[in-house]
Amino acid sequence: MERHEELAPSESKSNGSELSGPVTNLTNSSEEPEVDLEEHDELLEDCKSLLMSKHEIIEDFKACREKLYRFGGSCVLAASDSERFFNEEHKLMRPKAVTGILYSPSGGKLTMHKSGKSPDQAAKVIASMKAFQHDEACIWVQDESFNPVVDVHGASHRVTVVTTPDGERIVVDWGIAQFTSVPKDIKLFINEKDL
């Protein structure tokens, strides 16, 4: 049991500043706090369950999200929904909805299910943006090997950035379901400050 003792202002040890009123000593260095290692491990497991792996994100997308957003045609709505989902269910993944730019170095076009058209290529890639490559389903991962490009134009695209259990920042893109075709060399550029 910890012992709390009241020290009068005159009895307190001064470090150059005067204390006003009684001070409660809450520590007793002779006693070590007991740690229940089993409880500690359970808490760690609970925290891990609040995170989703890439595989779990992909499975969730295929089972619940892909059909929903296929004909919705709105990456803004999809990103808003995914950010809300991760904030409510997996807050430790630090979700953040951001706007990126889809750009294909070969000039390949994106085609939308709903309209059959390609989105406008009006957004400009700038030097502070990082390139992401399409990995699988709704996942984009940072592409360290891609040579930087600037002053090229692509389609503005809203996505959600999250942190995986292994600490990697990845992009979750439920809005990718709105496209019937995605060029193989497509890159998603996101401003570094938004990561």
Side-chain angles (χ1 to χ4, degrees):
M1 183 172 206
E2 288 188 15
R3 188 172 69 99
H4 303 284
E5 58 183 286
E6 296 277 324
L7 297 175
S10 60
E11 296 176 321
S12 65
K13 298 193 168 53
S14 178
N15 63 356
S17 63
E18 292 300 316
L19 300 174
S20 61
V23 175
T24 303
N25 183 3
L26 297 176
T27 60
N28 187 343
S29 60
S30 65
E31 292 181 24
E32 293 276 328
E34 287 188 33
V35 175
D36 182 346
L37 293 178
E38 189 174 311
E39 181 182 353
H40 179 264
D41 291 343
E42 286 175 15
L43 287 172
L44 283 177
E45 284 305 311
D46 288 345
C47 286
K48 285 181 185 175
S49 71
L50 295 176
L51 303 174
M52 291 176 78
S53 68
K54 278 194 244 182
H55 176 73
E56 290 169 322
I57 294 169
I58 290 167
E59 291 305 309
D60 173 77
F61 174 73
K62 289 178 178 177
C64 307
R65 321 289 175 187
E66 190 171 21
K67 288 180 185 174
L68 178 65
Y69 296 106
R70 180 167 293 145
F71 295 100
S74 172
C75 61
V76 175
L77 174 63
S80 176
D81 288 350
S82 66
E83 182 183 41
R84 183 174 45 256
F85 168 76
F86 284 104
N87 263 322
E88 290 173 1
E89 303 292 329
H90 306 283
K91 193 170 189 77
L92 291 177
M93 295 182 77
R94 297 180 17 240
K96 182 179 181 182
V98 300
T99 300
I101 299 170
L102 292 169
Y103 167 74
S104 169
S106 68
K109 300 288 183 196
L110 297 157
T111 307
M112 299 178 78
H113 277 285
K114 191 174 185 177
S115 66
K117 297 179 180 177
S118 294
D120 291 337
Q121 304 284 310
K124 188 176 182 180
V125 175
I126 58 175
S128 62
M129 293 182 150
K130 296 286 184 189
F132 285 76
Q133 66 186 12
H134 187 236
D135 188 38
E136 183 182 349
C138 64
I139 302 292
W140 296 81
V141 294
Q142 193 164 349
D143 185 355
E144 301 282 350
S145 66
F146 187 73
N147 292 329
V149 296
V150 292
D151 297 332
V152 296
H153 289 82
S156 182
H157 191 61
R158 194 96 170 130
V159 295
T160 302
V161 180
V162 299
T163 303
T164 62
D166 58 353
E168 180 184 11
R169 285 297 267 176
I170 62 169
V171 174
V172 176
D173 181 8
W174 290 355
I176 199 165
Q178 69 184 313
F179 301 114
T180 57
S181 66
V182 177
K184 289 192 184 300
D185 67 342
I186 194 85
K187 300 294 179 192
L188 173 65
F189 288 88
I190 298 176
N191 202 317
E192 188 171 17
K193 69 177 177 58
D194 290 334
L195 299 173

